Amino acid sequence: MTTTCEYKPGLDGITAAYSGISSVNGKEGLLEYRGIPIEELAEKSHFLETAYLLIWGYLPQADDLEAFEAEVREHRRIKYRIRDMMKCFPESGHPMDALQTSAAALGLFYSRRVLDDPSYIRAAVVRLLAKIPTMVAAFQLLRHGNDSIQPRDDLSYAANFLYMLTEKEPDELSARVFDVCLMLHAEHGMNASTFSARVTASTLTDPYAVIASAVGTLAGPLHGGANEEVLAMLERIGSVENVRPFVEECIAKKSKIMGFGHRVYKVKDPRAKILQKLAEQVFEKFGADRYYEIALEMEKVVAEKLGQKGIHPNVDFYSGLVYRKLGIPQDLFTPIFAIARTAGWLAHWREQLGENRIYRPTQIYVGKRNQPYLPLEERSL
Ligand code: ACO
């Protein structure tokens, strides 16, 4: 059989879109949002401004930013029916599943699919950015039998989320560190969940379905779910002495070490560098974390054993340690990633709508041909 197309597993190196949202240089470890280096944004911006930059394509003027922040603040609350629906979710359900279901449910209330109406687009952007954190925090409280907490209008986006989780106003450092974490996770080119968002967007379905499909894709352990797995792995290793045998065993068994490796970065992920510094800041203020020592040893041993293959810490390696120090439960790490990445997904949704053609790749058929249909009684394994 001859074919003109070549199959690349994982679509490695295949171009799926032109995009002006972010650029990733995997050889040098550089990440830019709309041309601005991530390090500069992490130092000078804040999450909602960065979300604005990603989604609308430019840094806002002061009054634009103020209006955008006010709109997001105004839409933070969720309808009581969504809350009531969430009360029926099983307590043992994973928060990512709860988030995917709740995000899709927003479409029941707001979907009109007027995708050529800028005010519909703006309202969907605002609602999703505003309500996703409230839904994550609500599930955390509801699954423990507590009522959810109403958002506080006097708090920033990051501080309000931490407040809704704990009913305690966070200190300045925790709120700032969390805000930077959101910025670092907001966008990263054509990764699996973003591709999923764009494929869904290309059918011209509603934006709530776009975000719900992206959340489902982010949940997997090879993608956003890795941050949760990293802490579980560090706990399993238990001590600095156990690191080397653990890494050697993973290599011998060809199993993946969570928080390491990346399809694009062949050097240390620039976000991991920033996260590591943030981790050190929170440890200085709130006390050291014994798993940090294990993490540092892992980075050293993995560099020694796998560095030549381009396997280095990715964004997920240090984020879990930061979140844990901020008192965030482990299974909320990936939903927090989703809160942040909603900005990137929405930017890609808008970009996809701008030059839309439905995604419809091809396949190379490798199955049988010309098979007879056998009656039931003649079939054998
Ligand atoms: N540990 C050990 N070996 C690894 C790792 C790892 N974490 N990552 C890649 N490798 C090795 C593979 O075994 C393979 O070796 P081989 O060529 O000898 O067979 C080689 O590096 C290439 O690996 P692939 O799986 O083909 O790389 P791919 O680009 O498909 O996967 C991925 C990238 C999924 C991130 C992978 O590195 C991985 O599974 N890492 C662990 C999970 C993780 O941390 N995911 C988070 C990624 S960041 C994000 O999604 C936000």
Side-chain angles (χ1 to χ4, degrees):
M1 186 180 67
T2 56
T3 173
T4 49
C5 44
E6 186 195 354
Y7 167 53
K8 294 271 198 149
L11 301 187
D12 192 359
I14 305 287
T15 302
Y18 285 114
S19 180
I21 301 169
S22 67
S23 74
V24 184
N25 177 332
K27 271 197 198 132
E28 292 174 50
L30 305 175
L31 169 62
E32 292 175 349
Y33 293 170
R34 301 277 183 194
I36 304 178
I38 190 67
E39 292 79 6
E40 214 172 326
L41 289 165
E43 192 191 327
K44 298 175 187 161
S45 184
H46 60 83
F47 176 69
L48 273 187
E49 183 185 60
T50 295
Y52 190 111
L53 167 74
L54 289 167
I55 297 166
W56 308 113
Y58 54 93
L59 281 172
Q61 298 291 322
D63 50 350
D64 290 339
L65 180 60
E66 207 179 301
F68 185 60
E69 285 176 328
E71 280 172 63
V72 171
R73 238 188 341 266
E74 195 186 314
H75 288 276
R76 281 173 181 169
R77 281 163 185 72
I78 51 172
K79 293 205 181 279
Y80 79 86
R81 286 182 175 180
I82 298 229
R83 238 183 9 252
D84 285 357
M85 177 193 79
M86 294 177 86
K87 283 182 189 162
C88 301
F89 292 172
E91 293 90 0
S92 58
H94 195 284
M96 277 303 268
D97 296 329
L99 178 60
Q100 188 185 19
T101 310
S102 318
L106 288 178
L108 289 164
F109 295 92
Y110 304 112
S111 172
R112 284 186 293 120
R113 296 180 198 167
V114 198
L115 298 177
D116 52 357
D117 175 355
S119 66
Y120 173 80
I121 304 277
R122 171 89 174 198
V125 162
V126 165
R127 276 199 198 104
L128 280 157
L129 286 172
K131 293 184 197 301
I132 295 261
T134 311
M135 295 191 301
V136 172
F139 182 65
Q140 166 63 8
L141 293 182
L142 294 172
R143 69 176 165 162
H144 290 105
N146 299 316
D147 244 327
S148 58
I149 293 174
Q150 289 299 321
R152 260 188 42 194
D153 288 352
D154 59 321
L155 296 179
S156 71
Y157 192 86
N160 174 60
F161 174 72
L162 294 175
Y163 164 74
M164 287 190 298
L165 269 189
T166 58
E167 214 174 352
K168 282 192 224 107
E169 195 176 322
D171 61 278
E172 220 172 285
L173 177 70
S174 301
R176 176 62 191 160
V177 163
F178 187 70
D179 191 63
V180 176
C181 290
L182 293 180
M183 278 189 275
L184 296 179
H185 288 84
E187 158 63 10
H188 207 245
M190 197 58 70
N191 53 81
S193 57
T194 299
F195 183 51
S196 184
R198 286 190 82 125
V199 171
T200 310
S202 79
T203 70
L204 301 186
T205 187
D206 70 76
Y208 308 101
V210 170
I211 299 303
S213 75
V215 170
T217 309
L218 185 71
L222 295 188
H223 193 10
N227 55 14
E228 205 180 316
E229 305 278 330
V230 168
L231 268 199
M233 175 186 76
L234 294 176
E235 281 165 8
R236 236 180 10 257
I237 295 172
S239 73
V240 170
E241 301 73 59
N242 291 342
V243 166
R244 189 169 287 274
F246 175 85
V247 172
E248 284 168 354
E249 194 186 333
C250 285
I251 294 171
K253 287 187 176 163
K254 289 193 173 299
S255 58
K256 294 277 171 65
I257 304 164
M258 289 293 133
F260 285 86
H262 198 277
R263 175 64 63 81
V264 184
Y265 292 121
K266 298 305 162 206
V267 294
K268 187 167 173 177
D269 186 328
R271 301 165 299 172
K273 289 186 194 165
I274 302 173
L275 277 162
Q276 188 172 1
K277 285 197 193 119
L278 294 179
E280 283 166 3
Q281 280 177 35
V282 289
F283 297 155
E284 200 173 303
K285 175 152 179 162
F286 301 114
D289 185 315
R290 75 188 189 93
Y291 293 109
Y292 186 51
E293 297 298 311
I294 302 176
L296 289 177
E297 180 69 7
M298 279 210 78
E299 188 174 341
K300 202 174 96 196
V301 177
V302 173
E304 185 191 306
K305 304 268 177 194
L306 295 170
Q308 78 286 358
K309 266 175 123 174
I311 300 186
H312 298 278
N314 59 47
V315 68
D316 286 326
F317 191 56
Y318 288 108
S319 62
L321 289 170
V322 174
Y323 295 150
R324 201 166 67 146
K325 213 57 193 175
L326 298 183
I328 296 170
Q330 220 150 302
D331 61 1
L332 291 192
F333 296 173
T334 319
I336 286 169
F337 193 157
I339 292 174
R341 189 53 63 85
T342 296
W345 294 329
L346 288 169
H348 282 272
W349 170 57
R350 279 200 70 228
E351 190 171 71
Q352 183 64 36
L353 292 182
E355 298 241 351
N356 190 53
R357 188 165 186 216
I358 189 167
Y359 276 96
R360 201 339 180 159
T362 189
Q363 62 173 14
I364 300 169
Y365 178 70
V366 293
K368 296 175 181 170
R369 291 180 188 274
N370 300 322
Q371 294 294 299
Y373 176 84
L374 289 179
L376 250 183
E377 57 281 7
E378 288 177 30
R379 294 174 205 169
S380 57
L381 282 178

